[in-house]
PDB file of all heavy atoms in Angstrom:
ATOM      1  N   VAL A   1       0.812  -1.222   0.000  1.00 97.00           N
ATOM      2  CA  VAL A   1       0.000   0.000   0.000  1.00 97.00           C
ATOM      3  C   VAL A   1       0.844   1.270   0.000  1.00 97.00           C
ATOM      4  O   VAL A   1       0.328   2.347  -0.310  1.00 97.00           O
ATOM      5  CB  VAL A   1      -0.971   0.037   1.208  1.00 97.00           C
ATOM      6  CG1 VAL A   1      -2.009  -1.064   1.082  1.00 97.00           C
ATOM      7  CG2 VAL A   1      -0.221  -0.067   2.537  1.00 97.00           C
ATOM      8  N   ARG A   2       2.139   1.171   0.335  1.00 98.00           N
ATOM      9  CA  ARG A   2       2.968   2.374   0.393  1.00 98.00           C
ATOM     10  C   ARG A   2       4.420   2.003   0.162  1.00 98.00           C
ATOM     11  O   ARG A   2       4.867   0.926   0.587  1.00 98.00           O
ATOM     12  CB  ARG A   2       2.831   3.043   1.766  1.00 98.00           C
ATOM     13  CG  ARG A   2       3.604   4.345   1.910  1.00 98.00           C
ATOM     14  CD  ARG A   2       3.280   5.018   3.241  1.00 98.00           C
ATOM     15  NE  ARG A   2       3.806   4.284   4.386  1.00 98.00           N
ATOM     16  CZ  ARG A   2       5.048   4.439   4.875  1.00 98.00           C
ATOM     17  NH1 ARG A   2       5.885   5.288   4.294  1.00 98.00           N
ATOM     18  NH2 ARG A   2       5.428   3.765   5.929  1.00 98.00           N
ATOM     19  N   GLY A   3       5.145   2.873  -0.537  1.00 98.00           N
ATOM     20  CA  GLY A   3       6.556   2.620  -0.777  1.00 98.00           C
ATOM     21  C   GLY A   3       7.387   3.871  -0.604  1.00 98.00           C
ATOM     22  O   GLY A   3       6.898   4.994  -0.760  1.00 98.00           O
ATOM     23  N   GLU A   4       8.654   3.652  -0.303  1.00 98.00           N
ATOM     24  CA  GLU A   4       9.621   4.744  -0.228  1.00 98.00           C
ATOM     25  C   GLU A   4      10.999   4.161  -0.488  1.00 98.00           C
ATOM     26  O   GLU A   4      11.421   3.222   0.208  1.00 98.00           O
ATOM     27  CB  GLU A   4       9.586   5.417   1.145  1.00 98.00           C
ATOM     28  CG  GLU A   4      10.508   6.628   1.248  1.00 98.00           C
ATOM     29  CD  GLU A   4      10.426   7.310   2.603  1.00 98.00           C
ATOM     30  OE1 GLU A   4       9.389   7.187   3.290  1.00 98.00           O
ATOM     31  OE2 GLU A   4      11.416   7.967   2.974  1.00 98.00           O
ATOM     32  N   GLY A   5      11.689   4.681  -1.504  1.00 98.00           N
ATOM     33  CA  GLY A   5      12.990   4.121  -1.860  1.00 98.00           C
ATOM     34  C   GLY A   5      12.837   2.674  -2.296  1.00 98.00           C
ATOM     35  O   GLY A   5      12.036   2.356  -3.170  1.00 98.00           O
ATOM     36  N   SER A   6      13.580   1.780  -1.664  1.00 98.00           N
ATOM     37  CA  SER A   6      13.476   0.345  -1.980  1.00 98.00           C
ATOM     38  C   SER A   6      12.742  -0.419  -0.885  1.00 98.00           C
ATOM     39  O   SER A   6      12.964  -1.616  -0.690  1.00 98.00           O
ATOM     40  CB  SER A   6      14.871  -0.251  -2.203  1.00 98.00           C
ATOM     41  OG  SER A   6      15.409   0.212  -3.420  1.00 98.00           O
ATOM     42  N   ARG A   7      11.851   0.273  -0.193  1.00 98.00           N
ATOM     43  CA  ARG A   7      11.015  -0.375   0.825  1.00 98.00           C
ATOM     44  C   ARG A   7       9.542  -0.219   0.469  1.00 98.00           C
ATOM     45  O   ARG A   7       9.121   0.802  -0.080  1.00 98.00           O
ATOM     46  CB  ARG A   7      11.279   0.222   2.206  1.00 98.00           C
ATOM     47  CG  ARG A   7      12.557  -0.284   2.857  1.00 98.00           C
ATOM     48  CD  ARG A   7      12.768   0.356   4.240  1.00 98.00           C
ATOM     49  NE  ARG A   7      13.686  -0.425   5.053  1.00 98.00           N
ATOM     50  CZ  ARG A   7      15.019  -0.315   4.990  1.00 98.00           C
ATOM     51  NH1 ARG A   7      15.571   0.560   4.148  1.00 98.00           N
ATOM     52  NH2 ARG A   7      15.785  -1.067   5.762  1.00 98.00           N
ATOM     53  N   LEU A   8       8.773  -1.254   0.803  1.00 98.00           N
ATOM     54  CA  LEU A   8       7.322  -1.236   0.661  1.00 98.00           C
ATOM     55  C   LEU A   8       6.702  -1.734   1.957  1.00 98.00           C
ATOM     56  O   LEU A   8       7.319  -2.516   2.689  1.00 98.00           O
ATOM     57  CB  LEU A   8       6.872  -2.156  -0.481  1.00 98.00           C
ATOM     58  CG  LEU A   8       6.966  -1.631  -1.916  1.00 98.00           C
ATOM     59  CD1 LEU A   8       6.803  -2.781  -2.889  1.00 98.00           C
ATOM     60  CD2 LEU A   8       5.893  -0.584  -2.177  1.00 98.00           C
ATOM     61  N   TRP A   9       5.457  -1.283   2.210  1.00 98.00           N
ATOM     62  CA  TRP A   9       4.713  -1.764   3.368  1.00 98.00           C
ATOM     63  C   TRP A   9       3.354  -2.260   2.900  1.00 98.00           C
ATOM     64  O   TRP A   9       2.733  -1.679   2.007  1.00 98.00           O
ATOM     65  CB  TRP A   9       4.529  -0.635   4.388  1.00 98.00           C
ATOM     66  CG  TRP A   9       5.810  -0.254   5.054  1.00 98.00           C
ATOM     67  CD1 TRP A   9       6.289  -0.729   6.246  1.00 98.00           C
ATOM     68  CD2 TRP A   9       6.791   0.683   4.587  1.00 98.00           C
ATOM     69  NE1 TRP A   9       7.509  -0.157   6.535  1.00 98.00           N
ATOM     70  CE2 TRP A   9       7.847   0.720   5.541  1.00 98.00           C
ATOM     71  CE3 TRP A   9       6.904   1.491   3.449  1.00 98.00           C
ATOM     72  CZ2 TRP A   9       8.969   1.516   5.387  1.00 98.00           C
ATOM     73  CZ3 TRP A   9       8.020   2.290   3.293  1.00 98.00           C
ATOM     74  CH2 TRP A   9       9.045   2.298   4.261  1.00 98.00           C
ATOM     75  N   ASP A  10       2.900  -3.378   3.515  1.00 98.00           N
ATOM     76  CA  ASP A  10       1.615  -3.950   3.105  1.00 98.00           C
ATOM     77  C   ASP A  10       0.486  -3.440   3.995  1.00 98.00           C
ATOM     78  O   ASP A  10       0.676  -2.561   4.848  1.00 98.00           O
ATOM     79  CB  ASP A  10       1.694  -5.481   3.066  1.00 98.00           C
ATOM     80  CG  ASP A  10       1.842  -6.141   4.437  1.00 98.00           C
ATOM     81  OD1 ASP A  10       1.643  -5.456   5.467  1.00 98.00           O
ATOM     82  OD2 ASP A  10       2.149  -7.353   4.477  1.00 98.00           O
ATOM     83  N   GLN A  11      -0.715  -3.974   3.794  1.00 97.00           N
ATOM     84  CA  GLN A  11      -1.897  -3.514   4.512  1.00 97.00           C
ATOM     85  C   GLN A  11      -1.767  -3.670   6.023  1.00 97.00           C
ATOM     86  O   GLN A  11      -2.367  -2.915   6.786  1.00 97.00           O
ATOM     87  CB  GLN A  11      -3.132  -4.286   4.035  1.00 97.00           C
ATOM     88  CG  GLN A  11      -3.577  -3.936   2.626  1.00 97.00           C
ATOM     89  CD  GLN A  11      -4.691  -4.845   2.166  1.00 97.00           C
ATOM     90  OE1 GLN A  11      -4.609  -6.069   2.299  1.00 97.00           O
ATOM     91  NE2 GLN A  11      -5.747  -4.251   1.609  1.00 97.00           N
ATOM     92  N   GLN A  12      -0.973  -4.659   6.426  1.00 97.00           N
ATOM     93  CA  GLN A  12      -0.784  -4.914   7.857  1.00 97.00           C
ATOM     94  C   GLN A  12       0.403  -4.154   8.436  1.00 97.00           C
ATOM     95  O   GLN A  12       0.713  -4.282   9.622  1.00 97.00           O
ATOM     96  CB  GLN A  12      -0.598  -6.423   8.110  1.00 97.00           C
ATOM     97  CG  GLN A  12      -1.887  -7.236   8.016  1.00 97.00           C
ATOM     98  CD  GLN A  12      -2.419  -7.333   6.587  1.00 97.00           C
ATOM     99  OE1 GLN A  12      -1.666  -7.604   5.658  1.00 97.00           O
ATOM    100  NE2 GLN A  12      -3.712  -7.092   6.427  1.00 97.00           N
ATOM    101  N   GLY A  13       1.092  -3.377   7.592  1.00 98.00           N
ATOM    102  CA  GLY A  13       2.232  -2.609   8.067  1.00 98.00           C
ATOM    103  C   GLY A  13       3.548  -3.357   8.026  1.00 98.00           C
ATOM    104  O   GLY A  13       4.580  -2.830   8.465  1.00 98.00           O
ATOM    105  N   LYS A  14       3.551  -4.567   7.487  1.00 98.00           N
ATOM    106  CA  LYS A  14       4.804  -5.320   7.370  1.00 98.00           C
ATOM    107  C   LYS A  14       5.690  -4.685   6.310  1.00 98.00           C
ATOM    108  O   LYS A  14       5.224  -4.307   5.226  1.00 98.00           O
ATOM    109  CB  LYS A  14       4.519  -6.780   7.007  1.00 98.00           C
ATOM    110  CG  LYS A  14       5.778  -7.630   6.853  1.00 98.00           C
ATOM    111  CD  LYS A  14       5.447  -9.089   6.569  1.00 98.00           C
ATOM    112  CE  LYS A  14       6.699  -9.896   6.276  1.00 98.00           C
ATOM    113  NZ  LYS A  14       6.410 -11.333   6.048  1.00 98.00           N
ATOM    114  N   GLU A  15       6.993  -4.580   6.600  1.00 98.00           N
ATOM    115  CA  GLU A  15       7.952  -3.961   5.690  1.00 98.00           C
ATOM    116  C   GLU A  15       8.610  -5.009   4.801  1.00 98.00           C
ATOM    117  O   GLU A  15       8.941  -6.104   5.253  1.00 98.00           O
ATOM    118  CB  GLU A  15       9.040  -3.248   6.503  1.00 98.00           C
ATOM    119  CG  GLU A  15      10.117  -2.604   5.653  1.00 98.00           C
ATOM    120  CD  GLU A  15      11.408  -2.380   6.428  1.00 98.00           C
ATOM    121  OE1 GLU A  15      11.490  -1.332   7.077  1.00 98.00           O
ATOM    122  OE2 GLU A  15      12.304  -3.255   6.374  1.00 98.00           O
ATOM    123  N   TYR A  16       8.812  -4.633   3.549  1.00 98.00           N
ATOM    124  CA  TYR A  16       9.529  -5.475   2.586  1.00 98.00           C
ATOM    125  C   TYR A  16      10.638  -4.644   1.936  1.00 98.00           C
ATOM    126  O   TYR A  16      10.442  -3.468   1.636  1.00 98.00           O
ATOM    127  CB  TYR A  16       8.595  -5.965   1.477  1.00 98.00           C
ATOM    128  CG  TYR A  16       7.432  -6.792   1.959  1.00 98.00           C
ATOM    129  CD1 TYR A  16       6.284  -6.170   2.457  1.00 98.00           C
ATOM    130  CD2 TYR A  16       7.473  -8.181   1.929  1.00 98.00           C
ATOM    131  CE1 TYR A  16       5.215  -6.919   2.916  1.00 98.00           C
ATOM    132  CE2 TYR A  16       6.395  -8.938   2.387  1.00 98.00           C
ATOM    133  CZ  TYR A  16       5.280  -8.299   2.879  1.00 98.00           C
ATOM    134  OH  TYR A  16       4.222  -9.037   3.335  1.00 98.00           O
ATOM    135  N   ILE A  17      11.782  -5.269   1.725  1.00 98.00           N
ATOM    136  CA  ILE A  17      12.794  -4.701   0.834  1.00 98.00           C
ATOM    137  C   ILE A  17      12.444  -5.164  -0.575  1.00 98.00           C
ATOM    138  O   ILE A  17      12.193  -6.356  -0.807  1.00 98.00           O
ATOM    139  CB  ILE A  17      14.212  -5.169   1.218  1.00 98.00           C
ATOM    140  CG1 ILE A  17      14.576  -4.705   2.624  1.00 98.00           C
ATOM    141  CG2 ILE A  17      15.228  -4.666   0.188  1.00 98.00           C
ATOM    142  CD1 ILE A  17      14.857  -3.239   2.777  1.00 98.00           C
ATOM    143  N   ASP A  18      12.420  -4.234  -1.527  1.00 98.00           N
ATOM    144  CA  ASP A  18      11.967  -4.533  -2.885  1.00 98.00           C
ATOM    145  C   ASP A  18      13.160  -4.718  -3.813  1.00 98.00           C
ATOM    146  O   ASP A  18      13.772  -3.741  -4.253  1.00 98.00           O
ATOM    147  CB  ASP A  18      11.058  -3.410  -3.388  1.00 98.00           C
ATOM    148  CG  ASP A  18      10.528  -3.669  -4.784  1.00 98.00           C
ATOM    149  OD1 ASP A  18      10.757  -4.779  -5.317  1.00 98.00           O
ATOM    150  OD2 ASP A  18       9.895  -2.763  -5.350  1.00 98.00           O
ATOM    151  N   PHE A  19      13.484  -5.980  -4.119  1.00 98.00           N
ATOM    152  CA  PHE A  19      14.495  -6.304  -5.124  1.00 98.00           C
ATOM    153  C   PHE A  19      13.849  -6.796  -6.424  1.00 98.00           C
ATOM    154  O   PHE A  19      14.538  -7.287  -7.313  1.00 98.00           O
ATOM    155  CB  PHE A  19      15.467  -7.370  -4.603  1.00 98.00           C
ATOM    156  CG  PHE A  19      16.443  -6.882  -3.558  1.00 98.00           C
ATOM    157  CD1 PHE A  19      17.195  -7.795  -2.827  1.00 98.00           C
ATOM    158  CD2 PHE A  19      16.626  -5.535  -3.310  1.00 98.00           C
ATOM    159  CE1 PHE A  19      18.102  -7.359  -1.861  1.00 98.00           C
ATOM    160  CE2 PHE A  19      17.525  -5.086  -2.347  1.00 98.00           C
ATOM    161  CZ  PHE A  19      18.264  -6.020  -1.620  1.00 98.00           C
ATOM    162  N   ALA A  20      12.513  -6.681  -6.506  1.00 98.00           N
ATOM    163  CA  ALA A  20      11.815  -7.039  -7.746  1.00 98.00           C
ATOM    164  C   ALA A  20      11.710  -5.830  -8.671  1.00 98.00           C
ATOM    165  O   ALA A  20      11.752  -5.961  -9.893  1.00 98.00           O
ATOM    166  CB  ALA A  20      10.427  -7.589  -7.426  1.00 98.00           C
ATOM    167  N   GLY A  21      11.558  -4.659  -8.078  1.00 97.00           N
ATOM    168  CA  GLY A  21      11.550  -3.425  -8.853  1.00 97.00           C
ATOM    169  C   GLY A  21      10.462  -3.364  -9.904  1.00 97.00           C
ATOM    170  O   GLY A  21      10.644  -2.749 -10.962  1.00 97.00           O
ATOM    171  N   GLY A  22       9.303  -4.001  -9.602  1.00 97.00           N
ATOM    172  CA  GLY A  22       8.227  -3.985 -10.596  1.00 97.00           C
ATOM    173  C   GLY A  22       8.623  -4.661 -11.891  1.00 97.00           C
ATOM    174  O   GLY A  22       8.133  -4.325 -12.966  1.00 97.00           O
ATOM    175  N   ILE A  23       9.517  -5.664 -11.799  1.00 97.00           N
ATOM    176  CA  ILE A  23      10.122  -6.364 -12.947  1.00 97.00           C
ATOM    177  C   ILE A  23      10.930  -5.370 -13.791  1.00 97.00           C
ATOM    178  O   ILE A  23      10.651  -5.117 -14.958  1.00 97.00           O
ATOM    179  CB  ILE A  23       9.105  -7.149 -13.802  1.00 97.00           C
ATOM    180  CG1 ILE A  23       8.106  -7.910 -12.924  1.00 97.00           C
ATOM    181  CG2 ILE A  23       9.845  -8.128 -14.723  1.00 97.00           C
ATOM    182  CD1 ILE A  23       7.065  -8.717 -13.686  1.00 97.00           C
ATOM    183  N   ALA A  24      11.931  -4.785 -13.138  1.00 97.00           N
ATOM    184  CA  ALA A  24      12.890  -3.875 -13.799  1.00 97.00           C
ATOM    185  C   ALA A  24      12.237  -2.581 -14.284  1.00 97.00           C
ATOM    186  O   ALA A  24      12.686  -1.983 -15.251  1.00 97.00           O
ATOM    187  CB  ALA A  24      13.622  -4.578 -14.941  1.00 97.00           C
ATOM    188  N   VAL A  25      11.191  -2.153 -13.595  1.00 98.00           N
ATOM    189  CA  VAL A  25      10.477  -0.926 -13.954  1.00 98.00           C
ATOM    190  C   VAL A  25      10.874   0.242 -13.053  1.00 98.00           C
ATOM    191  O   VAL A  25      11.139   1.344 -13.526  1.00 98.00           O
ATOM    192  CB  VAL A  25       8.950  -1.152 -13.883  1.00 98.00           C
ATOM    193  CG1 VAL A  25       8.196   0.177 -13.935  1.00 98.00           C
ATOM    194  CG2 VAL A  25       8.500  -2.060 -15.018  1.00 98.00           C
ATOM    195  N   ASN A  26      10.919  -0.001 -11.751  1.00 98.00           N
ATOM    196  CA  ASN A  26      11.099   1.081 -10.782  1.00 98.00           C
ATOM    197  C   ASN A  26      12.574   1.457 -10.659  1.00 98.00           C
ATOM    198  O   ASN A  26      13.215   1.228  -9.631  1.00 98.00           O
ATOM    199  CB  ASN A  26      10.529   0.666  -9.419  1.00 98.00           C
ATOM    200  CG  ASN A  26       9.056   0.312  -9.506  1.00 98.00           C
ATOM    201  OD1 ASN A  26       8.315   0.916 -10.275  1.00 98.00           O
ATOM    202  ND2 ASN A  26       8.645  -0.675  -8.746  1.00 98.00           N
ATOM    203  N   ALA A  27      13.101   2.083 -11.701  1.00 98.00           N
ATOM    204  CA  ALA A  27      14.534   2.378 -11.768  1.00 98.00           C
ATOM    205  C   ALA A  27      14.993   3.241 -10.609  1.00 98.00           C
ATOM    206  O   ALA A  27      16.143   3.122 -10.158  1.00 98.00           O
ATOM    207  CB  ALA A  27      14.858   3.078 -13.090  1.00 98.00           C
ATOM    208  N   LEU A  28      14.122   4.096 -10.116  1.00 98.00           N
ATOM    209  CA  LEU A  28      14.484   5.022  -9.040  1.00 98.00           C
ATOM    210  C   LEU A  28      13.721   4.716  -7.758  1.00 98.00           C
ATOM    211  O   LEU A  28      13.565   5.582  -6.896  1.00 98.00           O
ATOM    212  CB  LEU A  28      14.245   6.462  -9.497  1.00 98.00           C
ATOM    213  CG  LEU A  28      15.054   6.874 -10.742  1.00 98.00           C
ATOM    214  CD1 LEU A  28      14.674   8.260 -11.212  1.00 98.00           C
ATOM    215  CD2 LEU A  28      16.557   6.793 -10.478  1.00 98.00           C
ATOM    216  N   GLY A  29      13.267   3.481  -7.626  1.00 98.00           N
ATOM    217  CA  GLY A  29      12.557   3.077  -6.427  1.00 98.00           C
ATOM    218  C   GLY A  29      11.150   3.640  -6.382  1.00 98.00           C
ATOM    219  O   GLY A  29      10.571   4.023  -7.401  1.00 98.00           O
ATOM    220  N   HIS A  30      10.599   3.697  -5.179  1.00 98.00           N
ATOM    221  CA  HIS A  30       9.219   4.140  -4.976  1.00 98.00           C
ATOM    222  C   HIS A  30       9.182   5.578  -4.489  1.00 98.00           C
ATOM    223  O   HIS A  30      10.001   6.007  -3.675  1.00 98.00           O
ATOM    224  CB  HIS A  30       8.527   3.236  -3.962  1.00 98.00           C
ATOM    225  CG  HIS A  30       8.468   1.803  -4.388  1.00 98.00           C
ATOM    226  ND1 HIS A  30       7.583   1.339  -5.324  1.00 98.00           N
ATOM    227  CD2 HIS A  30       9.233   0.736  -4.027  1.00 98.00           C
ATOM    228  CE1 HIS A  30       7.780   0.040  -5.520  1.00 98.00           C
ATOM    229  NE2 HIS A  30       8.780  -0.343  -4.747  1.00 98.00           N
ATOM    230  N   ALA A  31       8.200   6.329  -4.992  1.00 98.00           N
ATOM    231  CA  ALA A  31       7.904   7.686  -4.514  1.00 98.00           C
ATOM    232  C   ALA A  31       9.128   8.595  -4.550  1.00 98.00           C
ATOM    233  O   ALA A  31       9.385   9.353  -3.617  1.00 98.00           O
ATOM    234  CB  ALA A  31       7.323   7.626  -3.094  1.00 98.00           C
ATOM    235  N   HIS A  32       9.884   8.520  -5.645  1.00 98.00           N
ATOM    236  CA  HIS A  32      11.062   9.385  -5.773  1.00 98.00           C
ATOM    237  C   HIS A  32      10.593  10.843  -5.853  1.00 98.00           C
ATOM    238  O   HIS A  32       9.740  11.184  -6.684  1.00 98.00           O
ATOM    239  CB  HIS A  32      11.846   9.011  -7.028  1.00 98.00           C
ATOM    240  CG  HIS A  32      13.184   9.652  -7.102  1.00 98.00           C
ATOM    241  ND1 HIS A  32      13.360  10.980  -7.417  1.00 98.00           N
ATOM    242  CD2 HIS A  32      14.441   9.158  -6.877  1.00 98.00           C
ATOM    243  CE1 HIS A  32      14.636  11.275  -7.403  1.00 98.00           C
ATOM    244  NE2 HIS A  32      15.321  10.192  -7.066  1.00 98.00           N
ATOM    245  N   PRO A  33      11.135  11.717  -5.017  1.00 98.00           N
ATOM    246  CA  PRO A  33      10.593  13.085  -4.946  1.00 98.00           C
ATOM    247  C   PRO A  33      10.652  13.855  -6.261  1.00 98.00           C
ATOM    248  O   PRO A  33       9.736  14.638  -6.561  1.00 98.00           O
ATOM    249  CB  PRO A  33      11.441  13.755  -3.854  1.00 98.00           C
ATOM    250  CG  PRO A  33      12.612  12.855  -3.623  1.00 98.00           C
ATOM    251  CD  PRO A  33      12.176  11.486  -4.008  1.00 98.00           C
ATOM    252  N   GLN A  34      11.705  13.653  -7.064  1.00 98.00           N
ATOM    253  CA  GLN A  34      11.783  14.386  -8.333  1.00 98.00           C
ATOM    254  C   GLN A  34      10.746  13.889  -9.337  1.00 98.00           C
ATOM    255  O   GLN A  34      10.229  14.669 -10.145  1.00 98.00           O
ATOM    256  CB  GLN A  34      13.191  14.277  -8.913  1.00 98.00           C
ATOM    257  CG  GLN A  34      14.221  15.103  -8.156  1.00 98.00           C
ATOM    258  CD  GLN A  34      15.626  14.881  -8.655  1.00 98.00           C
ATOM    259  OE1 GLN A  34      16.462  14.290  -7.963  1.00 98.00           O
ATOM    260  NE2 GLN A  34      15.917  15.344  -9.863  1.00 98.00           N
ATOM    261  N   LEU A  35      10.416  12.605  -9.287  1.00 98.00           N
ATOM    262  CA  LEU A  35       9.382  12.077 -10.186  1.00 98.00           C
ATOM    263  C   LEU A  35       8.001  12.538  -9.737  1.00 98.00           C
ATOM    264  O   LEU A  35       7.142  12.847 -10.575  1.00 98.00           O
ATOM    265  CB  LEU A  35       9.445  10.551 -10.244  1.00 98.00           C
ATOM    266  CG  LEU A  35      10.768   9.924 -10.692  1.00 98.00           C
ATOM    267  CD1 LEU A  35      10.576   8.442 -10.994  1.00 98.00           C
ATOM    268  CD2 LEU A  35      11.346  10.644 -11.910  1.00 98.00           C
ATOM    269  N   ILE A  36       7.795  12.560  -8.440  1.00 98.00           N
ATOM    270  CA  ILE A  36       6.520  13.084  -7.920  1.00 98.00           C
ATOM    271  C   ILE A  36       6.327  14.528  -8.367  1.00 98.00           C
ATOM    272  O   ILE A  36       5.241  14.918  -8.821  1.00 98.00           O
ATOM    273  CB  ILE A  36       6.488  12.985  -6.379  1.00 98.00           C
ATOM    274  CG1 ILE A  36       6.442  11.524  -5.932  1.00 98.00           C
ATOM    275  CG2 ILE A  36       5.288  13.756  -5.817  1.00 98.00           C
ATOM    276  CD1 ILE A  36       6.622  11.339  -4.433  1.00 98.00           C
ATOM    277  N   ARG A  37       7.385  15.315  -8.277  1.00 98.00           N
ATOM    278  CA  ARG A  37       7.295  16.729  -8.668  1.00 98.00           C
ATOM    279  C   ARG A  37       7.006  16.868 -10.161  1.00 98.00           C
ATOM    280  O   ARG A  37       6.133  17.661 -10.566  1.00 98.00           O
ATOM    281  CB  ARG A  37       8.587  17.457  -8.297  1.00 98.00           C
ATOM    282  CG  ARG A  37       8.519  18.953  -8.548  1.00 98.00           C
ATOM    283  CD  ARG A  37       9.614  19.722  -7.824  1.00 98.00           C
ATOM    284  NE  ARG A  37      10.954  19.265  -8.200  1.00 98.00           N
ATOM    285  CZ  ARG A  37      11.780  18.597  -7.384  1.00 98.00           C
ATOM    286  NH1 ARG A  37      11.402  18.286  -6.155  1.00 98.00           N
ATOM    287  NH2 ARG A  37      12.976  18.222  -7.793  1.00 98.00           N
ATOM    288  N   ALA A  38       7.713  16.079 -11.003  1.00 98.00           N
ATOM    289  CA  ALA A  38       7.486  16.165 -12.449  1.00 98.00           C
ATOM    290  C   ALA A  38       6.052  15.782 -12.802  1.00 98.00           C
ATOM    291  O   ALA A  38       5.408  16.432 -13.646  1.00 98.00           O
ATOM    292  CB  ALA A  38       8.474  15.253 -13.178  1.00 98.00           C
ATOM    293  N   LEU A  39       5.546  14.738 -12.156  1.00 98.00           N
ATOM    294  CA  LEU A  39       4.189  14.274 -12.432  1.00 98.00           C
ATOM    295  C   LEU A  39       3.153  15.305 -11.981  1.00 98.00           C
ATOM    296  O   LEU A  39       2.241  15.656 -12.740  1.00 98.00           O
ATOM    297  CB  LEU A  39       3.940  12.943 -11.726  1.00 98.00           C
ATOM    298  CG  LEU A  39       2.541  12.347 -11.865  1.00 98.00           C
ATOM    299  CD1 LEU A  39       2.190  12.083 -13.317  1.00 98.00           C
ATOM    300  CD2 LEU A  39       2.421  11.070 -11.044  1.00 98.00           C
ATOM    301  N   THR A  40       3.296  15.800 -10.775  1.00 98.00           N
ATOM    302  CA  THR A  40       2.274  16.716 -10.251  1.00 98.00           C
ATOM    303  C   THR A  40       2.300  18.068 -10.952  1.00 98.00           C
ATOM    304  O   THR A  40       1.244  18.686 -11.164  1.00 98.00           O
ATOM    305  CB  THR A  40       2.430  16.899  -8.726  1.00 98.00           C
ATOM    306  OG1 THR A  40       3.773  17.278  -8.417  1.00 98.00           O
ATOM    307  CG2 THR A  40       2.113  15.609  -7.998  1.00 98.00           C
ATOM    308  N   GLU A  41       3.490  18.524 -11.344  1.00 98.00           N
ATOM    309  CA  GLU A  41       3.562  19.789 -12.090  1.00 98.00           C
ATOM    310  C   GLU A  41       2.822  19.673 -13.417  1.00 98.00           C
ATOM    311  O   GLU A  41       2.042  20.554 -13.795  1.00 98.00           O
ATOM    312  CB  GLU A  41       5.023  20.189 -12.313  1.00 98.00           C
ATOM    313  CG  GLU A  41       5.685  20.794 -11.088  1.00 98.00           C
ATOM    314  CD  GLU A  41       7.121  21.216 -11.349  1.00 98.00           C
ATOM    315  OE1 GLU A  41       7.586  21.102 -12.517  1.00 98.00           O
ATOM    316  OE2 GLU A  41       7.785  21.655 -10.401  1.00 98.00           O
ATOM    317  N   GLN A  42       3.055  18.572 -14.147  1.00 98.00           N
ATOM    318  CA  GLN A  42       2.360  18.401 -15.424  1.00 98.00           C
ATOM    319  C   GLN A  42       0.873  18.136 -15.205  1.00 98.00           C
ATOM    320  O   GLN A  42       0.030  18.609 -15.973  1.00 98.00           O
ATOM    321  CB  GLN A  42       2.988  17.265 -16.234  1.00 98.00           C
ATOM    322  CG  GLN A  42       2.361  17.064 -17.610  1.00 98.00           C
ATOM    323  CD  GLN A  42       2.427  18.309 -18.482  1.00 98.00           C
ATOM    324  OE1 GLN A  42       3.450  18.989 -18.540  1.00 98.00           O
ATOM    325  NE2 GLN A  42       1.335  18.612 -19.172  1.00 98.00           N
TER     326      GLN A  42
END
């Protein structure tokens, strides 16, 4: 339900280290601040 960097948390609050990367998609991890800014500005 939530991610930051290379960590994710599930509905129960359990933490995971993410080495799957959305199958080589999340090049900059989760919720990267510069990507959030680019998306929200546009």
Side-chain angles (χ1 to χ4, degrees):
V1 294
R2 183 173 69 87
E4 184 178 335
S6 289
R7 282 180 160 84
L8 279 166
W9 290 266
D10 68 13
Q11 289 173 312
Q12 285 70 46
K14 179 177 174 178
E15 178 202 274
Y16 300 82
I17 298 288
D18 181 7
F19 287 168
I23 317 180
V25 167
N26 302 325
L28 300 175
H30 300 283
H32 191 285
Q34 287 174 249
L35 302 193
I36 292 171
R37 186 163 58 249
L39 178 60
T40 53
E41 282 182 4
Q42 183 58 43

